[in-house]
């Protein structure tokens, strides 16, 4: 049934869905118009919000570009490439391929969201070289694993409210991860989705006559390793080894002595220093670097527009208005569900987990206290709402699509079905377990 449903939907999306850059421009116009109608701000004020916000994500854009680049460099090292292909070549059937790819992406995203985006895409790309499978569904399966990130070890909402000095500590105190990440609610969602999501992706596989296959020669990285008799320090192995060992030594000190945790900067450093250690020379690393940077061009142009959009939503009060409208309908049983739905809606315009909590916490915390609903449950509902609509948010798909060599319209038809089914499951859990 899902195959029957996905085929016309995928064709429709593939035909009419615009480029992600056009999508963010249209969202910007919609936010501007909505803010004019529903807030007291003048057109000049809204324009100022947008313009002053364009630079807000520049550091984050560089982080995302480095996640993609460093992950790409690590994946193209001989050792990692051989390992990826050793696992991938065992997945001969399309069913097994999408199931394993989904599991790999979910596990990697649970560990760290940046790692999950890169690892899932790279694994899917490797699998496609050995298994004759619809490449769109395979990449959509890899991206779908990202849905669990906010319930994982890098989830910004649960980590924020467990950190001393967070902005709402005076209202709710510190909430340990045992109440959020390792709660019955979150574990139920993770367990259920680890069964449901691979099943959905398996059922999305079209019949061979309707499948779209990728030219495998497009996926194969050319061997750029320079062989002797090339001379010069840029062809020597020792500079890469020294830099790699120095970096990994620092990271060991960071984890063991400074008790540091896994964050985006640490993931970038880990990828980068491992890439240095495992590449044959700086010449080899730099040649792969040029390929990686080209694949990340979408990040460079789109993230400033999302920063401007997020500024309009937050500074005009539009995001708060959306959340408040849904919160006004809540009771003690439906508050987690409505928090989830409002977070999913706001995430379309404000694709930032931490930023979204800053916007919604002043609304959901008083509501939870008034209705005597556990704050931890409401916080996790917001977190899962943020992660849920990432399935149809091109902002987060950019690194995955860049690595896979696809466009957003190639996978979004399948992602919509994933969104609807997983949204139904999460809603049921929030109504019964939260």
């Amino acid at each position: 049934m899902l195959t029957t449903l996905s085929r016309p939907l995928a064709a429709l999306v593939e035909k009419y869905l615009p480029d992600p850059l056009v999508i963010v421009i249209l969202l910007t116009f919609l936010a501007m118009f909505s803010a004019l109608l529903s807030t007291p701000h003048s057109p000049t004020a809204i324009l100022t919000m947008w313009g002053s916000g364009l630079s807000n994500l520049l550091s984050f854009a560089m982080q995302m570009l480095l996640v993609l680049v460093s992950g790409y460099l690590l994946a193209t090292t001989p050792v990692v490439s051989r390992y990826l292909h050793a696992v991938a070549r065992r997945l001969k059937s399309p069913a097994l391929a999408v199931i394993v790819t989904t599991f790999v992406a979910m596990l990697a995203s649970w560990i760290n969201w940046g790692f999950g985006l890169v690892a899932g895409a790279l694994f899917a790309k490797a699998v496609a070289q050995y298994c004759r499978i619809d490449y769109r569904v395979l990449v959509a399966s890899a991206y779908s694993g990202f849905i669990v990130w906010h319930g994982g070890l890098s989830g910004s909402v649960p980590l924020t409210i467990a950190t001393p000095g967070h902005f709402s500590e005076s209202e709710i105190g510190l909430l340990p991860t045992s109440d959020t990440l390792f709660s019955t609610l979150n574990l139920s969602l993770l367990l259920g989705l680890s069964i449901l999501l691979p099943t959905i992706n398996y059922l999305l596989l079209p019949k061979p006559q309707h499948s779209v296959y990728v030219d495998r020669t497009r996926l194969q990285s050319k061997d750029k390793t320079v062989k002797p008799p090339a001379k010069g320090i840029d062809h020597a192995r020792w500079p890469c080894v020294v830099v790699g060992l120095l970096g990994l030594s620092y990271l060991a000190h960071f984890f063991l002595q400074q008790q540091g945790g896994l964050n985006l900067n640490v993931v970038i450093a880990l990828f980068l220093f491992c890439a240095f250690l495992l590449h044959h020379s700086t010449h080899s690393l730099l040649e792969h670097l040029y390929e990686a940077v080209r694949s990340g061009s979408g990040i460079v142009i789109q993230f400033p527009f999302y920063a401007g959009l997020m500024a309009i939503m937050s500074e005009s009060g539009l995001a708060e208005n959306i959340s408040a409208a849904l919160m006004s309908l809540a009771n003690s049983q439906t508050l987690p569900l409505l928090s989830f739905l409002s977070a999913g809606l706001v995430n379309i315009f404000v694709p930032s987990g931490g930023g979204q909590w800053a916007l919604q916490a002043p609304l959901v915390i008083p509501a939870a206290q008034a209705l005597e609903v556990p704050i931890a449950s409401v916080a996790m509902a917001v977190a899962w709402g943020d992660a849920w609509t990432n399935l149809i948010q091109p902002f987060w798909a950019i690194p995955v699509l860049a690595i896979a060599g696809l466009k957003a319209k190639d996978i979004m038809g399948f992602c919509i079905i994933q969104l609807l089914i997983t949204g139904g499951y999460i809603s049921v859990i929030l109504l019964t377990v939260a």
Side-chain angles (χ1 to χ4, degrees):
M1 184 177 66
L2 286 187
T3 304
T4 303
L5 178 63
S6 67
R7 192 164 67 248
L9 182 59
L12 187 67
V13 170
E14 192 171 331
K15 184 176 181 179
Y16 293 108
L17 185 72
D19 184 85
L21 179 59
V22 177
I23 291 175
V24 68
I25 292 173
L26 293 176
L27 287 174
T28 300
F29 292 157
L30 178 60
M32 286 180 169
F33 183 70
S34 300
L36 280 174
L37 291 180
S38 61
T39 71
H41 298 287
S42 67
T44 302
I46 293 173
L47 182 64
T48 301
M49 294 173 195
W50 176 74
S52 61
L54 290 174
S55 61
N56 288 350
L57 287 182
L58 292 184
S59 60
F60 181 61
M62 178 58 73
Q63 286 179 313
M64 286 298 294
L65 184 60
L66 286 173
V67 165
L68 189 154
V69 167
S70 58
Y72 188 99
L73 291 177
L74 179 59
T76 53
T77 60
V79 172
V80 175
S81 181
R82 282 197 300 268
Y83 178 77
L84 280 175
H85 287 268
V87 176
R89 67 168 52 96
R90 298 175 181 271
L91 307 177
K92 296 298 185 181
S93 79
L96 185 61
V98 294
I99 290 172
V100 173
T101 299
T102 305
F103 274 124
V104 167
M106 291 181 75
L107 178 60
S109 296
W110 182 82
I111 293 172
N112 180 272
W113 66 265
F115 178 56
L117 285 174
V118 173
L122 291 172
F123 186 72
K125 192 174 180 180
V127 169
Q129 294 186 43
Y130 299 97
C131 180
R132 185 169 170 77
I133 184 174
D134 190 297
Y135 191 51
R136 304 165 304 167
V137 176
L138 182 65
V139 175
S141 299
Y143 183 53
S144 68
F146 188 51
I147 194 175
V148 305
W149 85 268
H150 222 146
L153 300 181
S154 64
S156 56
V157 171
L159 293 183
T160 294
I161 58 181
T163 303
H166 70 86
F167 66 87
S168 54
E169 184 177 1
S170 59
E171 289 86 20
I172 65 175
L174 296 178
L175 297 181
T177 54
S178 58
D179 292 345
T180 53
L181 293 180
F182 300 101
S183 65
T184 301
L185 170 63
N186 196 56
L187 294 177
S188 298
L189 289 168
L190 290 172
L191 178 61
L193 288 172
S194 68
I195 299 171
L196 180 63
L197 199 53
T199 304
I200 295 171
N201 294 333
Y202 162 69
L203 295 174
L204 284 174
L205 281 170
K207 295 179 180 180
Q209 62 267 32
H210 300 300
S211 294
V212 175
Y213 302 108
V214 65
D215 180 359
R216 295 180 181 180
T217 59
R218 285 178 46 204
L219 305 177
Q220 296 171 357
S221 298
K222 297 179 181 178
D223 185 7
K224 296 180 178 292
T225 303
V226 176
K227 307 290 193 304
K231 297 179 180 179
I233 193 171
D234 54 340
H235 297 301
R237 184 169 174 78
W238 68 264
C240 279
V241 173
V242 171
V243 171
L245 290 176
L246 283 174
L248 293 177
S249 297
Y250 163 72
L251 290 177
H253 173 74
F254 175 76
F255 284 119
L256 299 177
Q257 299 298 323
Q258 299 182 6
Q259 303 296 311
L262 195 64
N263 57 44
L264 194 56
N265 291 333
V266 172
V267 169
I268 292 170
L270 182 61
F271 283 177
L272 187 60
F273 292 131
C274 285
F276 265 95
L277 184 64
L278 298 175
H279 267 287
H280 288 168
S281 66
T282 55
H283 180 76
S284 169
L285 186 143
L286 287 174
E287 287 205 322
H288 286 101
L289 173 66
Y290 301 143
E291 296 177 356
V293 171
R294 280 198 302 269
S295 68
S297 58
I299 291 174
V300 176
I301 189 64
Q302 291 182 41
F303 274 43
F305 283 96
Y306 272 107
L309 172 61
M310 291 166 63
I312 295 172
M313 294 293 296
S314 58
E315 294 178 26
S316 70
L318 185 58
E320 292 183 9
N321 291 346
I322 293 172
S323 297
L326 284 172
M327 290 300 99
S328 66
L329 305 174
N331 56 41
S332 59
Q333 183 177 4
T334 62
L335 180 62
L337 174 60
L338 291 175
S339 300
F340 164 73
L341 295 175
S342 65
L345 180 58
V346 171
N347 181 58
I348 300 297
F349 298 90
V350 187
S352 168
Q356 185 160 336
W357 177 243
L359 288 172
Q360 293 194 256
L363 295 170
V364 299
I365 289 175
Q369 292 170 334
L371 296 172
E372 299 182 347
V373 176
I375 299 293
S377 297
V378 175
M380 290 310 298
V382 172
W384 277 97
D386 167 77
W388 173 52
T389 48
N390 283 337
L391 286 171
I392 56 169
Q393 173 52 268
F395 179 87
W396 294 113
I398 294 172
V400 175
L401 296 169
I403 292 171
L406 293 181
K407 297 181 179 179
K409 63 183 180 181
D410 294 322
I411 68 169
M412 282 300 158
F414 305 104
C415 290
I416 290 172
I417 295 176
Q418 295 165 346
L419 177 90
L420 295 175
I421 299 176
T422 56
Y425 173 75
I426 297 171
S427 298
V428 170
I429 295 297
L430 289 173
L431 283 174
T432 57
V433 178

